[in-house]
């Protein structure tokens, strides 16, 4: 499931060092913990009650090169 989500939200742009991608989730939602554990960086609030996370190429590389 986790790999399927990353395949969806991490398009080739991040793999080619072109973009930083971000997403938001509600504070306290199960997704919040999932994104933190998956290497996303909390960059503050996005909208009322939401946390904004981002991932850049460096973070992506660290995640895919991390030993299982």
């Amino acid at each position: 499931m986790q790999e399927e989500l990353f395949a969806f939200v991490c398009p080739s742009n991040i793999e080619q060092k072109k973009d930083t991608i971000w997403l938001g989730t509600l504070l306290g939602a199960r997704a919040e913990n999932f994104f933190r554990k998956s290497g996303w960086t909390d960059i503050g609030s996005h909208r009322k009650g939401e946390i904004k996370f981002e991932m850049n190429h460096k973070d992506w590389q660290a995640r895919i090169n991390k030993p299982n």
Side-chain angles (χ1 to χ4, degrees):
M1 173 73 174
Q2 182 177 3
E3 294 305 319
E4 292 169 355
L5 177 64
F6 272 94
F8 177 74
V9 298
C10 298
S12 62
N13 287 2
I14 197 168
E15 293 172 1
Q16 297 172 12
K17 303 181 184 182
K18 292 183 179 177
D19 292 319
T20 295
I21 58 174
W22 64 266
L23 50 81
T25 187
L26 292 175
L27 180 63
R30 287 177 37 196
E32 176 187 354
N33 192 39
F34 171 80
F35 293 127
R36 289 183 195 285
K37 287 182 178 181
S38 299
W40 292 79
T41 302
D42 177 346
I43 59 169
S45 62
H46 172 56
R47 295 181 184 155
K48 188 176 181 179
E50 289 189 8
I51 300 171
K52 186 174 181 179
F53 290 93
E54 74 174 18
M55 186 174 287
N56 58 35
H57 179 75
K58 180 181 171 186
D59 297 336
W60 173 253
Q61 285 299 117
R63 185 202 171 278
I64 64 173
N65 292 325
K66 185 178 179 180
N68 293 331

